[in-house]
């Protein structure tokens, strides 16, 4: 084979050598995020009166399948938190001082409109959304894989875009859309850091809260 043909063949095969599958990307994320971590999730959500600012703190102990989301904004969710265990989701409602516990597959965050598992557990998210790799994109955080997919019924959204940072494999952006392509929720993951967390910290709730099982 002549040199120009070899060079041309290398050009054709180079993208294939770099290609990733969704499963490979999520496997990298899982290995990278195997130890406890915390982050701030911020962005906007489509509320009854229009767009509202969303801000929450996320705490994760992946090996325990344990995640906690504490809501700071909007006002309707302020003081609420969600704890995700291996089989259950606990929604704490500040205004009523209730802790509502339900099976993981049936639960949505009150007032948010989509299942919360994907904020900290991508494997759980893939059970609800059929993701495919849609190339790469340059974001302020760096180069990221762009994953897109259609949601299964009953998720509170129709389509999702997920951006995974390549240099440090972890989710950095989520976009949830309705059937018409309108953005319902757009989230950015910031202030990410490894953390020393214990299960008791993530499972804590007010002692006087009324516990309701559904």
């Amino acid at each position: 084979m002549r040199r120009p043909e070899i060079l041309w063949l290398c050009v054709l095969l180079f993208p294939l050598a770099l290609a990733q599958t969704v499963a490979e990307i999520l496997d990298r994320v899982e290995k990278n995020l195997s130890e406890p971590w915390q982050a701030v999730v911020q962005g906007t959500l489509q509320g009854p009166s229009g767009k509202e600012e969303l801000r929450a703190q996320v705490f994760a102990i992946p090996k325990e399948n344990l995640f906690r989301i504490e809501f700071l904004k909007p006002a309707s969710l302020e003081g609420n938190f969600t704890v995700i265990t291996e089989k259950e989701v606990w929604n704490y409602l500040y205004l009523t001082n209730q802790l509502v516990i339900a099976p993981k597959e049936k639960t949505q965050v009150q007032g948010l409109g989509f299942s919360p598992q994907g904020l900290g557990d991508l494997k759980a998210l893939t059970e609800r959304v059929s993701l495919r790799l849609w190339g790469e994109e340059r974001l302020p955080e760096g180069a990221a894989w762009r994953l897109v997919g259609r949601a299964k019924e009953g998720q509170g959204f129709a389509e999702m875009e997920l951006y995974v940072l390549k240099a440090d494999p972890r989710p950095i952006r989520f976009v949830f859309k309705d059937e018409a392509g309108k953005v319902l929720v757009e989230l950015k993951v910031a202030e990410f850091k490894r953390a020393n967390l214990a299960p008791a910290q993530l499972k804590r709730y007010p002692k006087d809260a009324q516990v309701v099982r559904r």
Side-chain angles (χ1 to χ4, degrees), residues 1-13:
M1 186 178 289
R2 291 174 297 178
R3 185 179 179 86
E5 292 173 334
I6 294 175
L7 292 175
W8 179 241
L9 182 61
C10 289
V11 170
L12 290 175
L13 293 179

Side-chain angles (χ1 to χ4, degrees), residues 1-166:
M1 186 178 289
R2 291 174 297 178
R3 185 179 179 86
E5 292 173 334
I6 294 175
L7 292 175
W8 179 241
L9 182 61
C10 289
V11 170
L12 290 175
L13 293 179
F14 184 67
L16 297 177
L18 296 181
Q20 300 286 325
T21 67
V22 171
E24 288 171 339
I25 292 171
L26 297 185
D27 185 59
R28 288 190 180 190
V29 172
E30 184 177 25
K31 290 177 180 178
N32 187 44
L33 299 184
S34 61
E35 298 303 319
W37 56 268
Q38 67 184 62
V40 171
V41 175
Q42 56 194 17
T44 58
L45 62 87
Q46 190 66 35
S49 57
K51 279 191 176 182
E52 296 181 291
E53 182 181 357
L54 175 68
R55 185 175 175 85
Q57 290 183 305
V58 180
F59 305 88
I61 307 178
K63 290 182 180 178
E64 300 279 344
N65 288 315
L66 188 59
F67 305 88
R68 182 184 179 97
I69 305 168
E70 297 182 354
F71 292 91
L72 306 174
K73 293 181 180 181
S76 60
L77 292 178
E78 185 178 358
N80 290 8
F81 64 78
T82 293
V83 176
I84 304 166
T85 70
E86 186 172 3
K87 296 182 179 180
E88 297 176 328
V89 173
W90 305 356
N91 275 320
Y92 175 72
L93 310 178
Y94 175 77
L95 291 179
T96 59
N97 196 28
Q98 286 184 318
L99 184 72
V100 181
I101 301 177
K104 192 173 181 178
E105 66 273 8
K106 297 181 179 180
T107 305
Q108 293 183 342
V109 176
Q110 295 294 322
L112 193 53
F114 65 87
S115 297
Q117 288 88 323
L119 296 178
D121 186 354
L122 292 184
K123 287 292 180 69
L125 187 61
T126 59
E127 295 173 3
R128 293 160 174 78
V129 183
S130 300
L131 291 171
R132 63 187 185 279
L133 180 59
W134 206 256
E136 299 178 10
E137 191 160 324
R138 174 66 62 174
L139 299 176
E141 298 90 339
W145 288 296
R146 183 188 180 207
L147 309 180
V148 300
R150 292 282 300 176
K152 298 178 182 179
E153 291 186 10
Q155 300 307 309
F157 62 94
E159 298 179 1
M160 190 199 74
E161 295 179 11
L162 168 64
Y163 296 84
V164 176
L165 190 64
K166 293 183 64 179

Side-chain angles (χ1 to χ4, degrees), residues 165-214:
L165 190 64
K166 293 183 64 179
D168 180 17
R170 55 185 173 84
I172 52 175
R173 293 191 185 182
F174 295 84
V175 181
F176 299 87
K177 300 179 180 180
D178 64 13
E179 285 288 354
K182 182 179 180 181
V183 175
L184 299 174
V185 181
E186 188 168 5
L187 303 175
K188 177 181 178 181
V189 182
E191 300 179 32
F192 175 87
K193 63 181 179 180
R194 314 292 174 176
N196 184 18
L197 301 172
Q201 292 175 273
L202 275 62
K203 290 182 176 181
R204 71 188 186 280
Y205 62 88
K207 293 182 179 179
D208 62 343
Q210 178 189 9
V211 178
V212 178
R213 287 192 173 270
R214 293 179 177 172

